[in-house]
Amino acid sequence: MRRRAKIRGIVVGSISIVLSVIIFIVPFAFIFLTASKTAAEAALFGFTLPTEWALVENLTEVLTIRNGLIVRAFINSTVITVLSVVLMVVFAAMVGYVLQRRRSRWNPVVNFLVLAGLIVPPAVVPTIWVLQTLGLFATIPGLIFIQATFGLSFCVLLFRAFVSTIPKELDEAATIDGAGPLRIFFGVVAPLLRPVIITVVVVQAVAVFNDFTGPLYFLPGDENATVQLTLYNFQSQTLNQWNLLFMDILLITIPPLVMYIFFNRQIVAGMTSGAVKG
Amino acid sequence: MAQAVATKPQPTRRSVKSMYPTWFYIPAGVLYVVLFAIPTFASFYFAFTRWSLQDVEFTGLQNFITFFSEPQLRTGFTNTFIYGFVTSGLKVVFGLALALLLTGQLMARGYLRSVVFFPVLVSAIGVGITFKVLMDPFDGLINSSLEAIGITGPAWLTDPQWALYSVALIDVWKGVGIATLIYIAGLAAIPQEYYEAAKVDGAGGWKNFWHITLPLVRPATATVVLLSLIGGLRSFDLIWATTRGGPGFTSDVIASVIYKQYQAGFYGLSTAGNVVLFIVVTAIVVPVSYFLNRREVER
């Protein structure tokens, strides 16, 4: 009986591996192979090894195109990602902490607003109107605030759930020792939030870095372009240079891939939170 | 028990207040109110106007009448439902199937889990461009492979009949990893005793699935359905990267209509689209969430 199960595991496993290669690996291999081809060969769309490897040439060409537009875009995207995630984490942790610790009649209101933030699609043009009034439209700080705002709800939910696992006695002991609320939160509670902070940082960093709609609406113009926007603009400009386009895709996919390799457990934890509790 | 509570020094109401100050809400609250709540409320006014960001002229229901009388805008409306339900349905089916496969006895489980999840991390634009090439009707890898085994594939993204469903399939390819992970976590939470008891009663694979797995994995199903409905109904970037709503306007959804009207400078009409999308999303997500969660409590 057990041997039969084992054999079945091997058979089903082999079929799954073959299918997974066809469905999931081939597209990624295709990106890599196309990025390694010459322009003429890439335009054939074939799934073949390049007859002439041009990986390095394509890489330097993509990096130097239009005076290093991609390099600047990488810097912009990094700045936007880092700062918006910092804002999100600090602000959402403060909300999640007080929301979980203090029972008040405001809790239902705050909970409702958090859920609304998850469900309601942002109203695009009125947001642009508000940003223009504040002088933040089409600026990097503007997009940082936007990304931080749109990510808040998800972060608050994770922090609220995690704070409930930290014993309240710790806060009380610290109060008796004479610590104020800021000292308690940043000195005592925040270090204990480390696991959930890592989860939030990784998940939101990937989300902000990969976001296309936000920069498209709120950060138009070439000099402030983010990586996703350059990729999108490339698509319409470099019509016959599929090799460069796919090199760009390859470059842009590397940062999230590195994140995944180092933090895959935290990413999984973040994505599946709420799966058990509903 | 009551005694233990009484002897423990209770922090007074005042100290609880100062330990957990309300002003901790303020930084997040300011961002939320200024950049999310105000635009949302303002959209309910601007949706009824002709608007150029400088000048506002109240036009009553005109924008909504335009929205539902012009065929291309109406197509976007119905397509939003199709896209939302197709993607979330397929993610439930494939997500659960993959999760059952990946929690069973299997070789290379770790490899399979990573591979299924990896597309989640690639940007929608990158995935969109890649599949535009793979789905090319003549030279694309998909159709040339199908041809090799004697099948003439459809024109995928360039066929008006297929375009929307093709994008939906790409969306499922990209998002099924999250659904699978959520289901794996949900399956892990089912106590093994149920299956042991069922074995004693002589129940087999299908009976186990229908009477134990499916009902008990319900919280995970609720999460997958809600997440993919919220994402699918609002979906924009993948559609814009692959078809831009085309051919013609056959794969437009509300979110792409909003962008097109914004580009054309019809800010009032674009905002009306936002209000319609708001109503569609809440009218579907809120009842579905109520239904899925209520049944759970009753049981």
Side-chain angles (χ1 to χ4, degrees):
Chain A
M1 190 64 182
R2 268 185 65 194
R3 236 183 103 186
R4 239 181 69 190
K6 214 174 161 188
I7 292 169
R8 226 185 74 178
I10 293 172
V11 172
V12 176
S14 327
I15 296 172
S16 316
I17 290 171
V18 171
L19 282 178
S20 77
V21 168
I22 294 174
I23 297 173
F24 290 106
I25 302 282
V26 166
F28 288 108
F30 184 82
I31 295 175
F32 178 75
L33 291 175
T34 309
S36 318
K37 287 175 180 173
T38 58
E41 202 182 356
L44 299 175
F45 293 171
F47 185 63
T48 52
L49 283 175
T51 46
E52 185 188 334
W53 286 84
L55 191 69
V56 181
E57 290 90 322
N58 290 343
L59 178 65
T60 46
E61 199 171 342
V62 164
L63 290 179
T64 51
I65 221 167
R66 299 190 49 206
N67 301 319
L69 182 73
I70 303 260
V71 180
R72 264 177 294 142
F74 255 100
I75 296 171
N76 289 340
S77 280
T78 311
V79 169
I80 291 166
T81 306
V82 169
L83 293 180
S84 63
V85 170
V86 167
L87 284 181
M88 243 185 271
V89 167
V90 176
F91 292 180
M94 289 163 78
V95 173
Y97 169 67
V98 176
L99 189 61
Q100 200 280 324
R101 283 297 199 246
R102 210 172 124 187
R103 302 270 160 257
S104 88
R105 63 205 149 101
W106 290 105
N107 280 15
V109 179
V110 177
N111 285 328
F112 170 79
L113 292 176
V114 169
L115 284 184
L118 275 186
I119 296 169
V120 174
V124 181
V125 191
T127 310
I128 292 176
W129 170 68
V130 168
L131 284 172
Q132 258 181 0
T133 317
L134 298 172
L136 288 172
F137 179 58
T139 65
I140 288 184
L143 186 60
I144 291 172
F145 288 128
I146 288 284
Q147 298 288 14
T149 308
F150 292 171
L152 274 176
S153 289
F154 174 79
C155 301
V156 169
L157 285 182
L158 288 193
F159 279 119
R160 192 187 60 187
F162 195 86
V163 166
S164 65
T165 65
I166 297 173
K168 225 173 170 170
E169 284 72 19
L170 276 177
D171 320 352
E172 283 156 14
T175 317
I176 290 163
D177 289 346
L182 275 179
R183 276 278 302 280
I184 299 176
F185 179 67
F186 287 102
V188 179
V189 178
L192 296 170
L193 292 177
R194 223 182 97 121
V196 73
I197 288 176
I198 295 174
T199 302
V200 167
V201 166
V202 175
V203 171
Q204 293 291 2
V206 172
V208 174
F209 189 83
N210 279 345
D211 186 38
F212 167 66
T213 318
L216 181 71
Y217 277 120
F218 307 117
L219 198 59
D222 242 5
E223 75 264 39
N224 284 334
T226 65
V227 284
Q228 305 302 330
L229 272 189
T230 54
L231 184 55
Y232 173 73
N233 292 335
F234 252 40
Q235 189 196 0
S236 28
Q237 288 158 7
T238 57
L239 277 177
N240 287 316
Q241 292 177 293
W242 293 96
N243 53 341
L244 300 187
L245 195 59
F246 277 80
M247 175 55 79
D248 200 8
I249 298 178
L250 193 62
L251 278 181
I252 288 172
T253 311
I254 289 171
L257 172 66
V258 171
M259 284 286 226
Y260 179 63
I261 290 169
F262 282 104
F263 299 105
N264 87 62
R265 219 165 347 121
Q266 282 82 5
I267 293 185
V268 170
M271 300 277 183
T272 56
S273 60
V276 184
K277 274 191 298 179
Chain B
M1 198 54 195
Q3 249 181 347
V5 172
T7 50
K8 195 175 134 194
Q10 282 288 309
T12 60
R13 206 182 144 70
R14 219 186 131 71
S15 84
V16 167
K17 235 183 195 167
S18 60
M19 257 165 80
Y20 310 119
T22 312
W23 70 259
F24 269 35
Y25 288 150
I26 290 177
V30 168
L31 280 185
Y32 186 94
V33 168
V34 173
L35 294 178
F36 184 72
I38 290 178
T40 303
F41 281 112
S43 71
F44 284 93
Y45 168 68
F46 289 120
F48 296 94
T49 64
R50 186 182 299 130
W51 186 28
S52 70
L53 283 174
Q54 279 85 36
D55 305 308
V56 184
E57 186 194 333
F58 192 80
T59 55
L61 284 170
Q62 190 53 49
N63 288 331
F64 293 95
I65 293 167
T66 312
F67 196 96
F68 287 104
S69 57
E70 289 207 17
Q72 64 253 57
L73 305 189
R74 224 173 31 217
T75 313
F77 182 73
T78 43
N79 279 351
T80 304
F81 290 91
I82 299 174
Y83 192 85
F85 287 118
V86 168
T87 51
S88 98
L90 290 180
K91 281 176 192 174
V92 166
V93 173
F94 288 125
L96 182 54
L98 281 169
L100 285 170
L101 183 75
L102 293 178
T103 46
Q105 257 195 3
L106 196 70
M107 344 185 270
R109 228 165 35 171
Y111 152 81
L112 286 169
R113 282 191 193 190
S114 315
V115 150
V116 168
F117 184 71
F118 190 63
V120 172
L121 298 168
V122 185
S123 73
I125 302 294
V127 169
I129 295 173
T130 307
F131 271 88
K132 234 171 114 173
V133 172
L134 292 176
M135 285 180 163
D136 187 276
F138 307 108
D139 305 328
L141 182 59
I142 295 179
N143 274 4
S144 47
S145 313
L146 286 176
E147 209 171 306
I149 53 171
I151 303 172
T152 313
W156 302 110
L157 296 163
T158 51
D159 181 336
Q161 298 281 313
W162 276 82
L164 186 70
Y165 297 98
S166 304
V167 185
L169 282 181
I170 304 172
D171 192 317
V172 173
W173 179 86
K174 180 170 159 41
V176 76
I178 295 184
T180 307
L181 279 183
I182 293 173
Y183 270 121
I184 288 176
L187 289 176
I190 299 177
Q192 280 304 310
E193 287 82 11
Y194 288 108
Y195 294 105
E196 281 156 25
K199 205 172 171 187
V200 172
D201 293 344
W206 270 111
K207 273 203 165 139
N208 278 349
F209 177 75
W210 280 111
H211 298 291
I212 302 173
T213 311
L214 207 54
L216 288 177
V217 85
R218 193 180 187 112
T221 306
T223 311
V224 172
V225 168
L226 290 174
L227 281 183
S228 42
L229 270 182
I230 293 172
L233 294 170
R234 290 161 51 161
S235 180
F236 169 73
D237 37 14
L238 195 60
I239 292 172
W240 198 249
T242 48
T243 65
R244 301 200 187 186
F249 37 82
T250 48
S251 64
D252 257 327
V253 293
I254 299 178
S256 67
V257 168
I258 292 172
Y259 183 67
K260 283 180 174 172
Q261 301 306 326
Y262 161 73
Q263 265 192 322
F266 298 123
Y267 298 144
L269 188 55
S270 171
T271 308
N274 246 127
V275 169
V276 173
L277 182 59
F278 169 85
I279 294 168
V280 166
V281 173
T282 41
I284 293 177
V285 171
V286 172
V288 168
S289 131
Y290 179 77
F291 171 76
L292 287 170
N293 292 320
R294 187 199 54 174
R295 288 281 291 266
E296 195 185 318
V297 171
E298 269 178 7
R299 185 172 37 77

